[in-house]
Amino acid sequence: MVDLKIQYDKISSQVDEAIGSVLKSTAFIKGPEVRLFEDDLQKYLGVKHVISCANGTDALQIAMMALGLKQADEVITTDFTFIATVEAIALLGLKPVLVEPEEASFNISPEAIIKAIGPGTKAIVPVHLFGQCADMEEIMKIAAKHNLFVIEDAAQATGADYTYKNRTFKKAGTIGHIGTTSFFPSKNLGCYGDGGALYTNDDSLAYKIRSISNHGMKARYYHDDIGVNSRLDTIQAAVLRIKLKYLEDYNSARNAAARFYDEAFSGCPDIRIPERVNYSSHIFHQYTLKILNGKRQALKEYLESKKIPSMIYYPVPIHLQEAYAFLRNRRKDFPITDKLCSEVLSLPMHTELDQEQLEYITTNVLKFFE
Ligand SMILES: *Cc1c(COP(=O)(O)O)cnc(C)c1O
């Protein structure tokens, strides 16, 4: 699905040198590269504060802690996402309120959010799934009207642009009160281990986030908040500083591969290519087709026989996961998620797909439908 080897080979001399210099400095935790990377990412995103942490799941948890959400507060999020989004809510004793995505964009539906708002609602967590932003202008309007916090889970959308109706842009993750991301190796901006970050334009939230991610520590051994230990290590920061310089190129390469797939599949009646919304660029963390008429499993097996990997993101909606059985009483309320989970299939997508591979993949997909 992802080829990180060729990508590494192309930048290996820079990366090896950067890692080597961290090894020689022995500043493995809180070395200078961590702040330098935060500054670089801050400039790239056009946001006031970037605070790095250990991974994208921690980033979500720290965000909710920093906003002061309390036991049983309700947090609205999408039923069609990676488990981490809901996990962070549940771990803090908050109540996840799952709502449906839009069938076309895969992203949380603003209308569904409005219907789910009640007296206990405190926050909304939109997820920019597969690399395309949720409808943030609408979501921020709803949040302002009901006095809710918005945490953008931008783990799959580092570098995507959101376009407002007045044609101004903001980067994914910099629109809500807090944005979170992950630098897991296969993400669009990935390191060589675990990593994550939070973004905010609010000075006091930034202060709180920095404190919470470091044991709630204000000055050394003076603890103002109950915190966690969640840091980006120096080696990962050094790698990320290099990879950030290539992020735009990486996202363009993904778009070129997506266009190739689109052209090949657009005439096939059993396939729906990924729809693009007019308010966001797409950075194709995943290239996700809908395979209609019950043919997905047979296609997946056929591709396996041709040694073509494909993945189902996500096979089981959150409301049907064992651990979240306590949310299951609204089973009948999620027809769109159920449908998406039965139709989606993601094809190989990374920065190094060449013409020959793309031709092999598309030819075989089309052969299956002949
Ligand atoms: C990857 C991912 C996360 C979690 O990131 P980790 O760094 O693996 O903890 C959270 N949300 C979404 C949508 C993701 O894709």
Side-chain angles (χ1 to χ4, degrees), residues 54-58 60 81-82 84-85 127 129 153 155-156 181-184 187 194-196 285 314:
N55 58 68
T57 311
D58 277 7
L60 286 159
T81 180
F82 178 55
T85 320
V127 180
L129 206 67
D153 182 346
Q156 301 190 3
T181 200
S182 163
F183 305 121
F184 185 81
K187 300 282 154 95
D194 275 310
H285 174 61
Y314 297 92

Side-chain angles (χ1 to χ4, degrees), residues 68-192:
L69 301 185
K70 300 210 176 50
Q71 292 257 325
D73 282 349
E74 290 181 10
V75 180
I76 296 174
T77 193
T78 170
D79 190 27
F80 190 60
T81 180
F82 178 55
I83 200 74
T85 320
V86 186
E87 197 170 49
I89 300 169
L91 259 178
L92 291 172
L94 311 172
K95 192 174 165 232
V97 175
L98 301 174
V99 304
E100 292 246 76
E102 297 170 331
E103 192 172 346
S105 71
F106 303 116
N107 278 324
I108 193 165
S109 150
E111 284 104 82
I113 293 174
I114 293 170
K115 282 193 206 131
I117 292 173
T121 310
K122 290 286 150 47
I124 307 168
V125 185
V127 180
H128 305 314
L129 206 67
F130 303 147
Q132 189 169 239
C133 293
D135 191 351
M136 288 306 296
E137 194 165 3
E138 277 308 303
I139 293 169
M140 293 310 289
K141 251 188 235 159
I142 297 166
K145 184 167 169 208
H146 297 271
N147 207 13
L148 307 175
F149 293 118
V150 175
I151 302 166
E152 297 175 72
D153 182 346
Q156 301 190 3
T158 306
D161 287 310
Y162 182 86
T163 309
Y164 286 83
K165 293 198 179 77
N166 68 9
R167 308 309 296 164
T168 55
F169 294 85
K170 277 193 187 171
K171 287 284 181 198
T174 68
I175 300 163
H177 299 88
I178 302 178
T180 66
T181 200
S182 163
F183 305 121
F184 185 81
S186 63
K187 300 282 154 95
N188 291 49
L189 178 61
C191 59
Y192 296 152

Side-chain angles (χ1 to χ4, degrees), residues 216-238:
M217 193 145 74
K218 189 175 67 178
R220 190 163 259 210
Y221 306 125
Y222 290 82
H223 306 272
D224 284 9
D225 298 298
I226 295 176
V228 294
N229 171 18
S230 186
R231 296 178 287 234
L232 181 70
D233 70 66
T234 314
I235 288 179
Q236 300 307 335

Side-chain angles (χ1 to χ4, degrees), residues 46-75:
V47 69
K48 208 162 171 202
H49 303 277
V50 168
I51 302 106
S52 58
C53 67
N55 58 68
T57 311
D58 277 7
L60 286 159
Q61 180 179 333
I62 294 164
M64 288 177 236
M65 291 170 79
L67 291 170
L69 301 185
K70 300 210 176 50
Q71 292 257 325
D73 282 349
E74 290 181 10
V75 180

